[in-house]
Amino acid sequence: MEKERLLAPLRRHGWDATSFQTVKSGLSYWRDDEDAFVAFAKIGRVLVALGAPIAPRDERVDVAKRFVAHAETNGNAVCFFGVERDFVDAMALPHALIGLQPNWDPREWSATLSGAPRLREQLRRARAKKIVVRHIDVSEAAALHEGIRRLVATWLGLRGMAPMTFAVRIEPFTALEEKRLFVAERDGVLLGMVALAPLYARGWLIEDLFRDPSAPNGTTETLIDAAMKSAAASGSTFVTLGLAPLAGDVSKSLRTFRDHASILFDFRGLEAFKRRLRPAHWDPIFIAHTENTSGVRAITAVLRAFARGSFIRFGIETLLRGPPIAIWVLAILLVPWTLGLASFDAEKWFPSLGIQAAWVIFDIGLVIGMLSLASRWRASLALTLAIVVSADTTITFIEALTFNARRITTLGDAAVVAIACLAPTAASIVVWGSWLRRHPSSPSNDRALIE
């Protein structure tokens, strides 16, 4: 479907915070007529709709029901992700709270700042560090194209998880002519950006909020301040920062996930950041699903949509990025291996007792280094560990080929040698991934996800 065919009804009826995301890539479309459509991802036999239908507000429910009927005729279930209370109530479908959405009246932003001394202090800090935020038009955005790509790639490299898609797919240059783009600079160097995406029938969504790790404190708040003031100047009465996932009184299972997945995604931290901006109110956001599927199946389909359809591929990509949890796991697994190494028969497995002791001491140091890196990431430590583990891999393979191979007499022996070779290889890949993703000069395949 051509972008203009999407934008025409979107300009008339875009309402939900998810509405502008429907023009991004990776989605399928069901068109009711030239004035209404549903954007969705097909996950198995579940069609995951991105928000409510793009349609006149008094027709959205009818359009949604026709979409559901169409899906069920073809043997599919439907769930609607990121919908608000009025739509859920009108559809009368099973539903679950998935988070809260903070909203502001930008005309009241100055009053909000007056009552928020910590927020004003952040703005002062950015000014003191000579951060300048300015609006750029489409032509200037094109000139800054490569700089913006580098900024986004650097930001993605600092995330613990692999890049997600669906409602959070990062495409800062899609429909750029429809947005208002602001950049933060110091001495002409790009350090941050934010976009106001139009919710045409309602106001604006603050999206594509990125900050370079070298940017001083207050840069993010200064970008939001500029966006709020721009929205107020346009006469808008509504601005949102979008969903704070798993905020609020979500189900027990979702609370458990929120509390135990923080090492990969800081749900509470994101909510706390949005609360510091003093929203006027929070709207509950839901996932609703048809009767021919369960809530668990619907939520699983949504998660797969964010994970680009495959948990396995997404998990492997995340692991290869070297997130803190992967470093923790490697360090923990290394402890029993080191204890086993110390108890092995030195005459059978090592050229000498001294070499066995050296390997044990080396692995103890490696455990300490990895635990330190998992607790606080440092580029120099990550690079040192990556080089050391790579050397460990090389030496282990040489020792296995020249000494251990001819001493293998059982399957158990073969398994020990295989583990000894493969474990440092895997560790090397993970630690190098940790360093490469966070190193500003390294190539990043995250850029392939950025238009």
Side-chain angles (χ1 to χ4, degrees):
M1 185 181 296
E2 295 180 358
K3 186 177 68 174
E4 191 57 40
R5 292 189 69 205
L6 296 174
L7 285 172
L10 189 59
R11 290 183 182 121
R12 291 188 289 272
H13 312 305
W15 179 270
D16 290 346
T18 56
S19 60
F20 194 77
Q21 313 310 312
T22 60
V23 302
K24 294 187 176 180
S25 62
L27 295 169
S28 300
Y29 300 94
W30 176 83
R31 183 175 285 278
D32 189 51
D33 56 36
E34 287 302 310
D35 200 36
F37 68 87
V38 176
F40 67 94
K42 189 174 188 299
I43 305 296
R45 304 300 294 181
V46 180
L47 307 187
V48 183
L50 181 52
I54 304 300
R57 280 187 59 76
D58 59 354
E59 298 177 18
R60 291 196 308 169
V61 172
D62 290 336
V63 172
K65 289 180 177 179
R66 287 193 288 271
F67 173 64
V68 168
H70 168 78
E72 291 180 342
T73 298
N74 291 283
N76 296 312
V78 173
C79 69
F80 295 91
F81 170 82
V83 289
E84 299 185 25
R85 171 71 71 180
D86 59 342
F87 180 80
V88 168
D89 290 345
M91 287 293 291
L93 293 173
H95 58 274
L97 179 72
I98 57 170
L100 301 175
Q101 176 179 289
N103 305 320
W104 291 260
D105 183 338
R107 300 171 303 175
E108 303 298 324
W109 180 246
S110 295
T112 299
L113 289 178
S114 297
R118 289 180 60 188
L119 185 52
R120 293 199 309 274
E121 174 61 16
Q122 290 295 86
L123 299 178
R124 186 202 64 77
R125 288 179 178 180
R127 288 195 301 271
K129 295 295 184 178
K130 299 182 180 180
I131 291 295
V132 176
V133 173
R134 60 191 181 92
H135 172 262
I136 61 173
D137 59 22
V138 174
S139 61
E140 191 168 5
L144 290 173
H145 189 279
E146 187 55 33
I148 291 173
R149 282 174 61 92
R150 283 196 301 270
L151 175 68
V152 177
T154 299
W155 183 88
L156 283 171
L158 294 172
R159 305 305 99 189
M161 291 190 294
M164 294 183 288
T165 54
F166 194 51
V168 293
R169 188 179 184 94
I170 297 173
E171 294 180 350
F173 303 106
T174 294
L176 188 58
E177 67 280 1
E178 304 289 316
K179 304 178 187 178
R180 295 182 184 177
L181 189 64
F182 302 84
V183 294
E185 299 170 319
R186 181 170 60 185
D187 299 328
V189 177
L190 180 65
L191 293 177
M193 64 168 284
V194 71
L196 277 175
L199 311 177
Y200 297 93
R202 192 179 197 182
W204 299 92
L205 166 69
I206 293 178
E207 68 162 8
D208 293 340
L209 179 57
F210 305 114
R211 170 185 175 273
D212 188 273
S214 66
N217 289 340
T219 300
T220 298
E221 290 83 356
T222 303
L223 285 162
I224 292 173
D225 178 61
M228 288 287 189
K229 289 176 178 177
S230 175
S234 71
S236 175
T237 62
F238 181 88
V239 169
T240 181
L241 269 170
L243 177 68
L246 306 189
D249 189 21
V250 295
S251 67
K252 183 178 179 180
S253 59
L254 291 180
R255 286 198 305 272
T256 300
F257 179 77
R258 174 188 65 196
D259 295 341
H260 290 86
S262 59
I263 197 166
L264 287 176
F265 189 95
D266 189 2
F267 294 100
R268 290 190 180 277
L270 179 60
E271 179 187 356
F273 168 74
K274 293 182 177 182
R275 287 192 182 278
R276 288 198 297 271
L277 297 171
R278 304 287 186 92
H281 57 92
W282 294 78
D283 288 340
I285 302 297
F286 301 89
I287 177 176
H289 58 89
T290 49
E291 298 282 359
N292 61 343
T293 191
S294 66
V296 171
R297 185 184 178 205
I299 290 174
T300 300
V302 168
L303 293 175
R304 283 183 59 194
F306 279 99
R308 285 175 279 153
S310 171
F311 291 138
I312 295 176
R313 181 179 64 242
F314 185 80
I316 292 173
E317 290 178 2
T318 295
L319 180 65
L320 294 179
R321 296 169 69 86
I325 189 172
I327 306 297
W328 276 112
V329 170
L330 287 173
I332 291 170
L333 291 176
L334 192 55
V335 172
W337 172 258
T338 303
L339 293 174
L341 203 64
S343 65
F344 285 170
D345 181 356
E347 184 176 345
K348 177 176 181 179
W349 293 107
F350 301 96
S352 70
L353 187 61
I355 290 178
Q356 180 184 27
W359 275 120
V360 171
I361 294 170
F362 172 84
D363 283 352
I364 291 172
L366 200 55
V367 170
I368 295 171
M370 286 190 172
L371 289 175
S372 178
L373 182 64
S375 299
R376 183 169 68 87
W377 193 90
R378 282 148 289 173
S380 58
L381 179 57
L383 179 59
T384 299
L385 287 174
I387 293 172
V388 167
V389 176
S390 296
D392 176 13
T393 302
T394 302
I395 295 171
T396 298
F397 268 97
I398 292 173
E399 184 176 317
L401 291 172
T402 61
F403 183 81
N404 299 120
R406 62 179 180 269
R407 287 170 168 78
I408 295 175
T409 58
T410 68
L411 287 177
D413 292 346
V416 169
V417 173
I419 292 172
C421 293
L422 294 177
T425 302
S428 176
I429 293 171
V430 170
V431 179
W432 274 114
S434 174
W435 183 78
L436 288 170
R437 287 294 177 185
R438 293 164 176 82
H439 196 267
S441 63
S442 67
S444 171
N445 60 20
D446 288 339
R447 296 186 186 185
L449 297 173
I450 308 166
E451 286 192 348

